[in-house]
Amino acid sequence: MQTTAMALVVCSISAGTASAQGQERLSPPLLQYPQERVPSFNAYGLPGLVDMPTAEMAPDASFGATVSHFGTTTRATLSFQVLPRVIGSFRYSLLENSNLPGNRDGDYYDRSFDLRFQLLKEGTYLPDLSVGLQDFIGTGLYGAEYVVATKEIFPGVRVTGGVGWGRLGSYQSFGSTGTRPSNDVGRGGTADYERFFRGDAAAFGGLSWDMTDNLRMKVEYSSDNYELETTRATGFDRKSPWSVGGDYVFRNGNQLSLYYAYGSEIGAQFTVLTNPRTAPVPGGNETAPVPVSPRRADQAADLGWTTQPARQTQVREALGEALDDQGITLEGLSLEADRATARIINRRYNAAPQAIGRTARLMSRALPDSISEFVIVPTTGGVPSSAVVIRRGDLERLEFDAADAIYDRVAVVDAVGRTPPVFADQYPKFNWSLAPYFRYSAFDPDDPLRTDYGARLSASLEIAPGLELAGAVSQRLGGTIDEATYSADTQLPAVRTAAPLYARESDTSLDRLTLAHYGRPGKDLYSRVTAGYLERMYAGVSGELLWKPVDSRLGLGAELNYVRRRDFDQGFGIQSNMTPSGEIPEFNGHVSAYYDLGYGFHTQLDVGSYLAGDVGATLSVNREFANGWRVGAYATKTDVSADEFGEGSFDKGIRISIPLNWALGSPSRRAENITISPITRDGGAKLGVGGRLYGRVRSDHQPEMAKTWGRFWR
């Protein structure tokens, strides 16, 4: 069972492209619907006809959500165009009136993943040509493979033909590529490579016609016999391989489809599309920055202010007030005859260069004319993460040039030894918020979606730079997560499957209460020690050390945790780590490697010991966008066998992060994070401690700044 805070945001977005140096910069929107053709999406939530696939791809980075229903089948699919020629999807399906193993009162729920690769792009003579894997690591209910081609033969008229195996080779097969191993729709979770492109093969195809910019008609011949649905379920009668349908494509790319399927069923679907490369409010709606103030040549050599403490105080106060109006806190300021170093907290801007640029502009207006170099040190939680060195003359001369021009003259260096002391009146700092929360639990076989809602009071006290006391208390007002059934049917210590016991014990919960210290033990090094009630299920102590040079795409880290299980009422009590299925080890931890692959792709590899004592590795891959969007997937494999792990075979999931500044158009550093895990078991489970270092410091480092430097002058 997976629980996380989430918010539904569906819109469209602005993006980064690779610069000549190979690093991503902001540019005007690359895609605006309907200027780039959006293909039809089929009932599986991928580019296709009615039920069959085509060889087409969605526009790069498109994110789609499709709900379709016909007969006894309902499918909900999330798809993502990972690369221009690679699209993937996660699907959750309901088969009604079924006697399949694992059904609940006749309803069978299924989870599946698909991948499609485009081998050829349509040209004057060649068609689009794609190869696809359907339900390749799920239960196998929809297991199939296919090779398909699509070609526009007249303007707006496209013909599709393909060959399928598995489900797509089950009707009127014309040959075989060997014996396909049987599949009993088991627990799923592993890729059965021996089944790929094996067994009977059959042909499918169809035609689509873009009658207008908004209306599309489709007809298809299906090679899917729907054997499981017709033999192990009631209410669906496949009378014909032919289906016809139509799409209405809205101006924003969303698609409403109606069809008559298999000679017996009327179906409908709706697909919502967005793209993290375009924005609902192009350019944003923040206030314009103040202009740079050029120095007066006759004042550049005047150093009289260096012997006037009162004037230095006035400079500090004026700069602090001006920055505060821009959502930036001036924490410290050192003034030398020709250099000024400002220690800042960026409270507002998702792109660090935007905060740097606005700070530099205001420094040009507030500081004495003799100062020729600005050093801006962004901090997070009282810890400096980098130092950005800007020559004042470059700032004055290049204000109206492209951001690339000043980027080539700026230095981003380590902040150790360059950070001014904090003003005496800056600490302690107290912050609090009271806000509603929404929590969900997905894929429970008894109820596919459970939700809770309520109010959460959060507070933090920054005692000194890098030393923070923080906590959160939630009051549940309603929902159904507490009705989930706890099952002790696990071969591992119940580190996560005991979540229902925590959900129903108390409506008032202490979500977390921690004392954390963040530090810079040396150049390129960052540290964290967190103690207290670390998350809803565990208390203890967590320590972390990160090596991350400011100019490197590579980061290396290590984390060690001591954990004790909290009482189920989520108060202040601690209970034994002994569970009915075994004892939870007190220590766990990982070593981690982080690497920016370029083109917006970022990887993380964690190797170590998990909460249940199993040992293995987690690989995460994200595609990240300059505006803060992130879409990725992770998989964990440990020394726990598929049988010991249980349903799902190994831990895996999808993560989506949607920045609020993208949705609202107003500056904000907040984001809504959504995690979709097909099944939550005890293998591969991690501690949910907050404030891990890499996510806190990377945005202020050179590789990340390069991606969003286009906002320096914004």
Side-chain angles (χ1 to χ4, degrees):
M1 181 168 57
Q2 178 71 32
T3 60
T4 186
M6 88 178 260
L8 289 178
V9 183
V10 180
C11 311
S12 55
I13 352 189
S14 173
T17 58
S19 70
Q21 289 81 14
Q23 294 178 326
E24 198 175 20
R25 307 282 179 84
L26 284 184
S27 69
L30 299 179
L31 179 155
Q32 290 286 350
Y33 298 125
Q35 293 177 358
E36 185 172 351
R37 181 182 181 273
V38 179
S40 176
F41 278 66
N42 64 11
Y44 281 95
L46 287 170
L49 295 165
V50 176
D51 208 30
M52 296 294 101
T54 63
E56 298 168 288
M57 294 283 159
D60 185 33
S62 293
F63 185 81
T66 298
V67 177
S68 66
H69 176 81
F70 69 90
T72 57
T73 298
T74 301
R75 301 175 186 140
T77 306
L78 294 177
S79 65
F80 181 59
Q81 191 70 41
V82 183
L83 289 167
R85 295 193 181 191
V86 181
I87 190 170
S89 69
F90 168 71
R91 185 178 305 105
Y92 194 53
S93 306
L94 165 64
L95 180 60
E96 303 170 10
N97 305 319
S98 165
N99 62 3
L100 287 168
N103 77 84
R104 297 295 193 276
D105 297 325
D107 290 338
Y108 180 80
Y109 296 98
D110 182 78
R111 299 169 293 272
S112 56
F113 292 88
D114 295 3
L115 275 177
R116 181 186 299 177
F117 306 89
Q118 191 175 67
L119 305 179
L120 293 177
K121 187 72 176 173
E122 183 179 6
T124 304
Y125 302 105
L126 293 175
D128 284 333
L129 179 66
S130 295
V131 58
L133 302 174
Q134 184 171 289
D135 194 4
F136 70 103
I137 54 171
T139 63
L141 177 69
Y142 294 111
E145 304 82 48
Y146 56 88
V147 178
V148 61
T150 299
K151 184 76 173 72
E152 185 175 36
I153 56 173
F154 299 107
V157 178
R158 289 171 172 78
V159 174
T160 292
V163 177
W165 290 260
R167 278 190 72 121
L168 299 186
S170 60
Y171 180 75
Q172 296 293 326
S173 61
F174 59 79
S176 174
T177 54
T179 302
R180 188 179 182 93
S182 61
N183 181 37
D184 296 327
V185 190
R187 67 180 38 163
T190 58
D192 194 347
Y193 304 104
E194 295 180 355
R195 297 171 56 82
F196 290 177
F197 301 97
R198 299 287 297 276
D200 293 342
F204 62 86
L207 179 146
S208 71
W209 176 27
D210 293 345
M211 300 177 65
T212 70
D213 288 341
N214 303 104
L215 185 61
R216 179 184 296 128
M217 301 303 295
K218 306 179 289 188
V219 60
E220 75 171 22
Y221 173 87
S222 171
S223 59
D224 187 345
N225 199 35
Y226 270 78
E227 182 178 356
L228 280 175
E229 287 82 352
T230 55
T231 62
R232 307 195 66 171
T234 59
F236 176 66
D237 184 13
R238 185 189 187 280
K239 293 182 178 180
S240 168
W242 293 96
S243 299
V244 296
D247 304 332
Y248 183 82
V249 182
F250 295 88
R251 182 175 176 80
N252 60 5
N254 296 343
Q255 172 186 313
L256 175 64
S257 305
L258 298 175
Y259 37 82
Y260 183 61
Y262 297 103
S264 61
E265 301 293 342
I266 294 176
Q269 75 179 57
F270 188 66
T271 298
V272 176
L273 287 174
T274 189
N275 195 300
R277 303 186 329 182
T278 58
V281 185
N285 57 18
E286 66 265 35
T287 58
V290 300
V292 173
S293 177
R295 289 171 292 174
R296 294 168 297 176
D298 61 330
Q299 296 294 318
D302 182 8
L303 298 178
W305 64 270
T306 60
T307 61
Q308 301 172 12
R311 187 177 174 191
Q312 295 176 31
T313 299
Q314 290 175 351
V315 167
R316 172 208 156 174
E317 292 176 349
L319 181 59
E321 290 176 5
L323 285 171
D324 189 60
D325 288 341
Q326 299 290 314
I328 300 168
T329 299
L330 182 65
E331 264 200 326
L333 180 67
S334 69
L335 299 174
E336 303 170 59
D338 61 351
R339 179 189 297 114
T341 303
R343 175 179 181 144
I344 66 167
I345 301 174
N346 171 19
R347 309 192 312 266
R348 180 177 297 172
Y349 303 100
N350 190 48
Q354 189 167 4
I356 299 297
R358 294 200 171 209
T359 300
R361 287 172 179 263
L362 290 170
M363 291 175 75
S364 77
R365 303 182 72 84
L367 299 180
D369 291 341
S370 68
I371 293 177
S372 59
E373 183 177 89
F374 299 160
V375 181
I376 301 171
V377 180
T379 65
T380 302
V383 175
S385 44
S386 67
V388 182
V389 183
I390 304 172
R391 289 194 294 269
R392 191 170 184 170
D394 292 337
L395 194 72
E396 296 167 344
R397 185 174 62 258
L398 301 173
E399 180 181 13
F400 301 106
D401 287 14
D404 283 2
I406 194 165
Y407 175 77
D408 293 335
R409 292 164 172 79
V410 165
V412 182
V413 297
D414 197 288
V416 170
R418 296 175 177 265
T419 307
V422 175
F423 297 140
D425 59 357
Q426 288 295 299
Y427 289 87
K429 298 179 181 180
F430 180 73
N431 297 286
W432 69 277
S433 65
L434 179 62
Y437 78 85
F438 178 78
R439 184 180 295 125
Y440 80 95
S441 168
F443 314 123
D444 182 339
D446 294 321
D447 189 342
L449 181 63
R450 298 182 186 274
T451 61
D452 268 359
Y453 58 90
R456 176 177 292 119
L457 175 64
S458 302
S460 66
L461 177 64
E462 295 181 63
I463 303 168
L467 183 62
E468 180 182 54
L469 178 66
V473 177
S474 294
Q475 176 61 49
R476 178 179 174 272
L477 300 178
T480 58
I481 290 182
D482 62 325
E483 298 173 8
T485 302
Y486 167 67
S487 172
D489 182 21
T490 175
Q491 298 185 45
L492 295 170
V495 294
R496 291 301 183 199
T497 53
L501 299 177
Y502 289 87
R504 63 171 176 250
E505 189 69 23
S506 175
D507 286 340
T508 304
S509 63
L510 177 65
D511 295 345
R512 55 185 172 82
L513 180 61
T514 59
L515 180 65
H517 180 269
Y518 300 90
R520 293 295 312 268
K523 185 176 183 294
D524 301 331
L525 293 176
Y526 302 82
S527 63
R528 173 186 60 82
V529 178
T530 308
Y533 299 89
L534 303 174
E535 53 149 289
R536 299 181 69 203
M537 295 178 66
Y538 295 96
V541 181
S542 174
E544 183 184 5
L545 184 66
L546 173 70
W547 173 82
K548 174 63 175 71
V550 295
D551 58 350
S552 174
R553 293 186 176 190
L554 175 68
L556 300 174
E559 177 178 300
L560 179 64
N561 306 308
Y562 168 82
V563 297
R564 292 293 305 276
R565 199 163 57 135
R566 295 180 59 184
D567 282 348
F568 295 131
D569 64 5
Q570 295 165 84
F572 292 99
I574 301 294
Q575 62 176 309
S576 167
N577 278 9
M578 181 61 70
T579 73
S581 51
E583 186 172 8
I584 300 170
E586 291 183 333
F587 289 95
N588 63 77
H590 298 81
V591 292
S592 302
Y594 314 86
Y595 193 73
D596 186 341
L597 296 173
Y599 196 68
F601 283 90
H602 196 277
T603 59
Q604 177 177 338
L605 178 64
D606 303 318
V607 179
S609 175
Y610 295 79
L611 277 170
D614 47 331
V615 176
T618 299
L619 177 63
S620 304
V621 181
N622 293 323
R623 186 172 180 187
E624 304 176 346
F625 298 86
N627 55 21
W629 259 83
R630 296 179 185 179
V631 181
Y634 69 91
T636 300
K637 194 70 180 75
T638 70
D639 55 0
V640 172
S641 68
D643 288 337
E644 290 176 298
F645 183 89
E647 183 180 358
S649 300
F650 65 95
D651 189 42
K652 53 192 170 293
I654 297 168
R655 294 190 181 111
I656 304 167
S657 182
I658 305 173
L660 291 189
N661 69 293
W662 165 84
L664 303 176
S666 300
S668 174
R669 302 203 71 185
R670 291 188 56 196
E672 292 297 335
N673 300 306
I674 304 168
T675 300
I676 301 173
S677 176
I679 191 73
T680 296
R681 303 291 294 177
D682 295 312
K686 280 186 176 181
L687 183 68
V689 64
R692 287 190 165 104
L693 294 170
Y694 188 73
R696 292 171 68 96
V697 305
R698 63 177 290 208
S699 63
D700 294 330
H701 283 195
Q702 183 271 334
E704 290 300 309
M705 283 198 187
K707 299 174 185 178
T708 57
W709 194 261
R711 299 197 72 84
F712 180 86
W713 292 121
R714 294 296 302 274

